[in-house]
Every structure is written in structure tokens, then in C-alpha cells.
Amino acid sequence: MKITVFSAVFFCLALMTAQARAGEMGADEIASRASRVSYYQGADGRSEVTMVITDSQGRQRQRSMTILRKNVGEGGEQKYYVYFHKPADVKGMSYIVWKHAGNKDDDRWLYLPALDLVKRIASSDKRSSFAGSTFLYEDISGRSIELDTHELVKSGDGYYELKNTPRDAASVEFSYYTVTIDAANFVPRRAEYYDKEGKPYRIIEALEVGEIQGFATITKMKAVDLNSGGSTVAEFSNISYNVGLGEDIFTERYLRKPPIQWLKE
Amino acid sequence: MRLFAICAGTALSMAVCCARLYASAMPEIHGFIEHAGAVKTSDNELVKHGSFNLLEQRLQLKASHAFPVESILGTWQSVARFKGDFTVDEHYAGKTGFDLREANLSMSPASFVDVKLGRQVLTWGTGDYIFINDVFPKDYESFYIGRDDEYLKKPSDAVRLSVYPPFLNADFVAIPFFEPNALPQGDRLSFFDSFQGGIAGRESDRHLIEQPGQGHNIEYAVRLYRNFKSTEIAFYAFRGFDKMPRSYKSESSRQLYYQRQNVFGASLRSPVFSGIGNLEMGYVHSPEDSAGTNRLVENSIFKALAGYEKDLGNDLKIGVQYYYEQRLNYADYMQALLSRDFFWDEYRHLLTQRITKLYMNQTVMVSLFNFYSPSDHDGYARPSISYAITDRWKITAGANIPWGSHETTDFGQMKKNKNIFLRLRYSF
């Protein structure tokens, strides 16, 4: 009898622990799958991006670029090549990022064709604006999921909602952010960033999602800065996956001599 | 030589246009129109009178053409590029000019080979406004009168061959036509002229003698480089001429010339202390005066540089550099000098600092670059602020503030050339 009670208590404890672990794993698994869908689909990819940046007074600026991406190895490392088409004063500039996993700083190089100068860019701040837009570097190349703890705060209606809290609070400007993720394809639909006072100040939203070569893909997204009133809409076009980019594309050679076969507008 | 370049450029641009017409489309033309002025803030009676040392309008046009894949050039992924500046110079009473910045053809005749042929800007090395192994021509006049940074680099008429085998990358450059640095000449900017015995302006009557464009005068530059993960390592070699007229051809007829020069160097650039660090050194050999005993010819020099740049977050970046220069065989040089000669110091130490901050969605850039030499007791401050009013309009204001206690040092000789500049540019 005593043994039975003991077994029952043990069984319950075991069950509770298992459930807790499943919940925890669930959030991490969802975050990991959402990150893969957003930034890692296919072995490589290319896309043309047009950004319209609107400031609080309604003035608009445009950026247009081609982005090439390749996954390198299994650890979440990636290489990016960005070629600027617009505006006119930056046309022809090219940019390489070697994105590293975890806390290691990315390597970045910028090529200024007028000076034939390959500049190494100090890049410890991944939370600075990308090309003057409302998007941050981390929005474009992805925030490493190991940098945050993930908590499943809501699920149902075909969506998961994750609360992501930075492990190193001092390294970022937000206290946490929530992401609503489509349960069917793990595409993040909306992210809200909260400041240190717990007030939302930044929203990123997927406006259009399509399917390209079988991969669910965001084709239009918007970032809004609630503090400044500025926003940026990014539209992705001519997207293709598994195009066969060589790793040599992401080297100084192709900074100086842009790989035109991949950059046609 | 200029004529040659203009002809070559015109021919190439015509070729580009014809090729495009053949493909039934005109090439896209881009560029800018700019108005630039720099007001003198020093009382300088030596240079040309007037309150400006820069007052010009500039129209830059550029076009490129990627050859269609059906042609041989197309299968080599060839691109022809053209860039030229038309200028109206109010400093010289509306004198018009044309500056051909680029006219070249780049090709990949094999998967691991790139060739760039024609007029092009050439840059390598790791310094920020300090050049050790970048032996290609600069325009210091543009630098001091407030033109855009683009004009610090002068183009070269050259062939650049780059090969990319798996283990090492290599660049070979041949420059058949010597192009010296553009320096103050006395009309816009005053400078130290040893023939005048001090800072001189329009009265300067020195002659700068270039060697003729002959086979044995072709300049060669090589760079071997590769990455070890995030660390970049490069080795450099150069055989050619000093781009500065530092040696005397004839004292009596006030002739300076560009002595032969060989440079051997190396550089390293890598992430360090959550920033980017760089080291570069070079041994500049003066083959016309290897022993250092000829007082008229520049000695060999050792140069080294260490730099660090860091992103402090919120679009704020800082950079610092330390540069060291030592004139070799100095005792022999001093021995050879005559009593009234002006002479170079043995050592030069130079510190630089750059701070850049962006505001308003990166449309406003505030920047300050400082040179300071504790050994020369001189320096040069370059503050600037720019605002991209729209995607097309940009306004830039800044100042050039060289200072120093001696007339012979790099920045001290420029101290009467302080100015405030303003540029308004429309890009298309």
C-alpha cells in the first residue's frame, strides 16, 4: 500500500516534470522552426528587395538591393551578399556579411566603387538601422535564437505566441518581444518589441506571405517605430531558392567585381 | 597622356553605346551635379587672390554595359565602365575641364581569373587616410580644398590581373603611364617650397620632372592575400616611382623629380576587442640612394601603422591610428647635407582619430577626423556634417584646418590654407 502511494506520487512528479519539459521544448522548438523558415530555407537564395522608408512627416526614401544568401555548415552560420541599386548615390556599392552563430560578432565588408576601397566594418552593434530603414541588421539577417529564452504564452486559432526575453538584457534596447507564429508553416506574422518600461515601441508585421518553390516565404513586411513615427515597408521579389551560389561569391573578389549574373534587376 | 586617356575613354564609351544600340537600348546613365565652394579662412596673400580656394560646378556621368552572353566578352562576364566629370572652375574664371575617372573593361576569361583593363582607381592596404602599401596616385589638392573623398584617389591607366586559386589570391598591376600625386601648386594652396626657402604661393617656380613613358619605366604592383577565417593577411610589393617629388634633379634650375622606389610590405586586419584592428608595415627602398649618402635623393624609409575601429552602438563609431616613420641611413644623410640645406627628420610619429555619428535614420552624418603629430608639432582637423535631404539631394559642409609650428612639416606647411567648404549635390 505504502508502495502504491509512493509510486503514485512518483508517477505524478514524473508526469509533471515531463510536461514542463515538453512545454519548454515546445517554445524553443517553435522559435527554432520560425527562425529556420525566416532565414534558412533552402541551401541558398536570392531576392530583390525594395524598401520604402517613411518618416514621421511622411517624407519617403527608397532603397533597392539584391540580396544573396548561403547557409554555411550546420551551426547556423550564413553568408550574405548585398548589392545596392538605389538610391543613385549608393548604386554599385556592395556589402558582405559573414554571419556567425551565437555571440560572435559578424564579419562585414563594404566596397566603395568610387574609391575601389574594401572597408572592414566594425559591427558589434547588430541593433542599428539597416541602410537607414526602420529595420535593424538583426531583422534582415536574423537574431540568433540562443540569445533569448523563449516562452509559449498563447496557442490556438492556428497561432503560437512566443515571449522572447534576452539572456543578456544589457546588450539590447528591448526588455522582451513577442512573436505570433503561424502554426501551419511557422512563418512569424507579427513581432512586438517592449521597452524597459514594458511599453510596446516597435512592431514588425508580415503583410504578404507566398509559397515559393514549396517554401512559405514572406514577400512583404513592414516595420513601425512607434516612438519616432517612422516606418518601412519592404517588398521582396524575384525570390528563388537553391540557385547554386558558390561560397566564393561572398569574398573580396566579388565585392570588387559584382557577380552580374545574380544581380540583374 | 591626358589626351590618350580622353581618346581611349571616348572610344570606349562609343563602343559601349554602339554595343547597347546593337542590343537596342541605351545604357542607363547615372551621376550627379554638384556645386562646391570653399571659403578661405586664413589670410593668405601668397596664393591667387579672391575669397575662395574652391568654386566649381561638376557634372559626373557614368554608365556601364554588361556584354550579352552570346558574345565572347559576354561569356567572360565582361563589363565596360565609364565615368567622367565635366567641370566649370570659377576659381579660374570659369575654365571648363573634363576629368576621365574611369574607362575600363573588366573580364573573367577563366573561372579563377579577372582582368581589368584601362583607366581605373586602384586601392589596397588597411590605413584610413594613411597609405603605406597603397602606392597609387592621390590628389591632395582635392583633399585640402574640400572636394568629396572620392577625389582623394586619382585614377591610373593600368592593367590589373587578379587570380584566385584555392589557397591564395593575387593581384598584379602594371601601370605603363606614370601618374604622380596632385599637390598644392601655389595658386590655390600655398606650400613649403625649399627653393623659395619657406611657404610659397604663386611665386613658386619649381619644376616637377616626370620620367618618360618608356618600357623600363612601367610600374608594377603585386598583392598576395588571403583570409584565415576572419583574419585578413596580405603581402605587397611595388616597383616604380615615388608619387611625391621628393628628390632634386637640378638645384640651379629648381627641378624636383620622382625618384625610383621599391616597396615591400605586409598587413593584417582582424576582429579584436569587439572592434576591427589592423597592422601594416612597409619598407620603402630608394634604389637611387640605397646608401643614403646622396643629399639630393630621398633615403629608404621604414613605415608602420596600427589602427583600431569600434562600433559603440547607436550609430556611433570611433577609430584611432598610430603611424611611425623612420628615415634609414640617417647619419649618412646628415653627413652629406650642406649647411644651408633643408632636411627631413629621422622619425615621424602620427596619431589619427576618427569619430562618426549618424542621426535621423542615418540621413545626417557628423564626422571629425584629426591628424596629430607629436614629433612634427602639427596636425590637421577635418570636421564635416552632411545631410541627405532626399534620396537625390545631399548637402555637405565642413572645414579643413591644418596647423603646425614649423613651415616644413606635412601639415605645418598647409597652415595658411584653412577653409570652410559647402557642397550641394543632386544625384541621378
Side-chain angles (χ1 to χ4, degrees):
Chain A
M1 190 62 186
K2 261 185 185 170
I3 292 168
T4 321
V5 171
F6 184 77
S7 322
V9 170
F10 181 76
F11 183 67
C12 286
L13 273 173
L15 200 69
M16 280 160 67
T17 322
Q19 266 182 342
R21 201 172 287 159
E24 208 177 78
M25 273 179 62
D28 285 350
E29 178 67 22
I30 295 162
S32 156
R33 293 188 70 166
S35 163
R36 253 178 283 156
V37 165
S38 307
Y39 301 106
Y40 290 92
Q41 293 194 121
D44 61 34
R46 92 175 270 285
S47 167
E48 284 153 32
V49 188
T50 305
M51 288 186 180
V52 177
I53 306 163
T54 310
D55 71 11
S56 54
Q57 290 161 50
R59 287 176 299 200
Q60 293 197 323
R61 290 166 201 270
Q62 212 189 62
R63 305 276 173 275
S64 127
M65 65 207 87
T66 301
I67 298 184
L68 308 175
R69 164 186 63 84
K70 187 177 176 65
N71 299 345
V72 185
E74 297 298 312
E77 305 235 323
Q78 288 186 317
K79 293 184 174 177
Y80 284 84
Y81 184 103
V82 181
Y83 182 86
F84 288 93
H85 302 286
K86 272 180 197 162
D89 64 334
V90 300
K91 185 180 166 61
M93 282 189 196
S94 48
Y95 194 81
I96 286 177
V97 181
W98 292 1
K99 177 184 152 190
H100 300 297
N103 257 330
K104 193 181 170 201
D105 283 346
D106 294 346
D107 293 310
R108 298 185 199 165
W109 290 266
L110 173 67
Y111 178 64
L112 305 171
L115 291 160
D116 186 45
L117 177 65
V118 176
K119 227 174 132 171
R120 187 93 182 232
I121 307 287
S123 66
S124 38
D125 185 16
K126 292 181 191 178
R127 300 202 62 76
S128 58
S129 157
F130 176 79
S133 74
T134 322
F135 291 100
L136 309 183
Y137 274 99
E138 252 177 15
D139 303 327
I140 303 298
S141 63
R143 177 170 170 82
S144 178
I145 54 167
E146 293 97 64
L147 296 178
D148 304 315
T149 59
H150 312 282
E151 195 185 328
L152 184 61
V153 291
K154 220 192 280 173
S155 67
D157 299 333
Y159 289 97
Y160 299 115
E161 192 181 318
L162 290 185
K163 181 180 174 185
N164 311 278
T165 311
R167 289 182 196 275
D168 177 8
S171 66
V172 288
E173 83 288 1
F174 57 83
S175 61
Y176 68 93
Y177 64 103
T178 60
V179 185
T180 308
I181 295 161
D182 191 325
N185 54 19
F186 290 92
V187 171
R189 301 304 298 251
R190 185 181 166 91
E192 278 185 40
Y193 290 78
Y194 293 80
D195 64 17
K196 305 284 179 191
E197 278 81 53
K199 219 173 70 199
Y201 70 96
R202 191 163 180 270
I203 293 167
I204 302 180
E205 214 175 347
L207 301 179
E208 282 167 22
V209 178
E211 196 178 278
I212 286 146
Q213 295 169 250
F215 297 109
T217 305
I218 296 173
T219 53
K220 189 173 180 181
M221 62 198 265
K222 183 176 184 179
V224 181
D225 183 331
L226 300 175
N227 289 338
S228 74
S231 67
T232 299
V233 173
E235 275 191 82
F236 301 82
S237 58
N238 291 322
I239 304 167
S240 43
Y241 293 104
N242 296 322
V243 292
L245 295 173
E247 212 175 319
D248 61 339
I249 296 284
F250 306 91
T251 61
E252 183 178 327
R253 176 183 188 182
Y254 289 97
L255 275 180
R256 290 182 189 269
K257 186 178 191 295
I260 46 172
Q261 70 271 35
W262 301 114
L263 302 178
K264 288 189 184 114
E265 266 182 292
Chain B
M1 201 193 100
R2 282 276 149 184
L3 189 65
F4 164 81
I6 291 169
C7 292
T10 313
L12 191 65
S13 43
M14 279 172 67
V16 169
C17 291
C18 292
R20 270 289 178 168
L21 283 173
Y22 164 74
S24 72
M26 280 298 284
E28 268 185 50
I29 307 248
H30 293 278
F32 62 79
I33 303 170
E34 184 180 76
H35 184 83
V39 182
K40 294 180 206 166
T41 56
S42 323
D43 195 16
N44 191 348
E45 291 300 313
L46 298 166
V47 295
K48 191 169 179 295
H49 295 295
S51 16
F52 295 89
N53 39 31
L54 169 71
L55 195 60
E56 69 185 14
Q57 284 89 38
R58 183 176 287 268
L59 167 67
Q60 180 175 92
L61 296 177
K62 59 182 174 184
S64 67
H65 172 69
F67 288 86
V69 284
E70 305 85 62
S71 62
I72 289 211
L73 286 173
T75 58
W76 290 354
Q77 295 165 15
S78 307
V79 177
R81 282 196 181 76
F82 165 84
K83 180 156 94 177
D85 286 18
F86 297 88
T87 53
V88 180
D89 193 339
E90 303 295 349
H91 185 74
Y92 296 110
K95 188 176 137 200
T96 53
F98 176 68
D99 180 12
L100 184 67
R101 302 281 306 167
E102 284 179 44
N104 58 63
L105 182 65
S106 62
M107 304 169 279
S108 304
S111 65
F112 59 94
V113 177
D114 289 341
V115 178
K116 196 167 180 181
L117 182 73
R119 178 160 288 201
Q120 55 191 301
V121 173
L122 293 160
T123 300
W124 60 43
T126 64
D128 186 5
Y129 289 156
I130 294 183
F131 308 100
I132 295 178
N133 291 293
D134 179 343
V135 289
F136 308 111
K138 321 283 185 305
D139 182 346
Y140 285 105
E141 187 176 71
S142 288
F143 194 59
Y144 278 103
I145 59 176
R147 289 199 185 111
D148 188 273
D149 269 4
E150 169 176 3
Y151 299 99
L152 171 59
K153 295 292 295 194
K154 274 175 89 180
S156 304
D157 295 319
V159 183
R160 178 182 190 143
L161 170 72
S162 306
V163 291
Y164 305 93
F167 44 91
L168 189 75
N169 305 311
D171 283 317
F172 303 95
V173 175
I175 306 171
F177 308 104
F178 177 76
E179 185 70 38
N181 287 352
L183 297 173
Q185 296 165 34
D187 44 8
R188 267 186 216 276
L189 298 171
S190 56
F191 64 100
F192 177 78
D193 184 342
S194 58
F195 298 116
Q196 303 293 332
I199 293 181
R202 291 207 289 174
E203 75 274 25
S204 172
D205 56 356
R206 67 182 195 176
H207 302 283
L208 307 179
I209 310 298
E210 291 177 29
Q211 51 290 326
Q214 292 168 348
H216 62 275
N217 286 339
I218 297 175
E219 294 183 300
Y220 300 96
V222 179
R223 175 176 65 140
L224 306 175
Y225 67 104
R226 68 161 291 175
N227 281 32
F228 292 91
K229 292 194 171 162
S230 299
T231 302
E232 300 163 74
I233 291 178
F235 296 94
Y236 311 84
F238 170 70
R239 181 181 184 276
F241 299 91
D242 195 346
K243 299 293 178 292
M244 299 286 244
R246 274 187 254 249
S247 298
Y248 294 85
K249 180 130 247 162
S250 156
E251 287 178 289
S252 55
S253 44
R254 299 169 191 265
Q255 288 178 343
L256 291 173
Y257 79 112
Y258 307 87
Q259 83 285 347
R260 272 203 174 273
Q261 188 175 77
N262 303 318
V263 184
F264 306 95
S267 72
L268 183 145
R269 186 160 63 178
S270 178
V272 58
F273 305 125
S274 46
I276 303 293
N278 62 290
L279 292 172
E280 186 168 340
M281 51 81 71
Y283 166 64
V284 182
H285 176 230
S286 181
E288 293 173 42
D289 186 21
S290 284
T293 48
N294 186 342
R295 56 181 266 281
L296 301 177
V297 179
E298 174 72 300
N299 281 26
S300 299
I301 300 176
F302 174 77
K303 299 175 177 180
L305 167 75
Y308 179 69
E309 192 188 283
K310 186 165 165 59
D311 177 4
L312 297 175
N314 292 318
D315 287 324
L316 175 66
K317 282 186 181 170
I318 52 151
V320 287
Q321 296 181 107
Y322 166 67
Y323 171 75
Y324 169 84
E325 193 179 280
Q326 183 185 356
R327 215 157 240 98
L328 305 173
N329 307 111
Y330 196 72
D332 298 310
Y333 168 67
M334 288 306 279
Q335 192 88 50
L337 286 175
L338 300 180
S339 60
R340 295 184 61 189
D341 281 350
F342 289 97
F343 60 90
W344 303 100
D345 285 339
E346 184 173 12
Y347 298 102
R348 181 166 181 232
H349 303 274
L350 180 63
L351 298 163
T352 78
Q353 156 271 313
R354 180 191 281 280
I355 181 161
T356 310
K357 169 82 178 157
L358 307 176
Y359 297 94
M360 292 169 64
N361 292 331
Q362 303 181 348
T363 55
V364 173
M365 182 168 97
V366 180
S367 152
L368 173 66
F369 193 97
N370 257 310
F371 293 94
Y372 167 63
S373 170
S375 55
D376 285 359
H377 304 288
D378 68 353
Y380 175 22
R382 291 170 56 86
S384 76
I385 178 166
S386 70
Y387 173 45
I389 307 161
T390 68
D391 280 342
R392 294 183 177 282
W393 287 97
K394 185 176 189 174
I395 188 163
T396 307
N400 289 289
I401 312 165
W403 56 272
S405 41
H406 304 296
E407 292 190 337
T408 52
T409 61
D410 266 27
F411 306 122
Q413 65 175 308
M414 302 299 293
K415 64 186 170 190
K416 286 172 180 277
N417 297 316
K418 295 180 183 66
N419 60 60
I420 296 171
F421 66 84
L422 187 74
R423 300 192 300 258
L424 181 64
R425 180 182 283 201
Y426 176 83
S427 301
F428 54 87

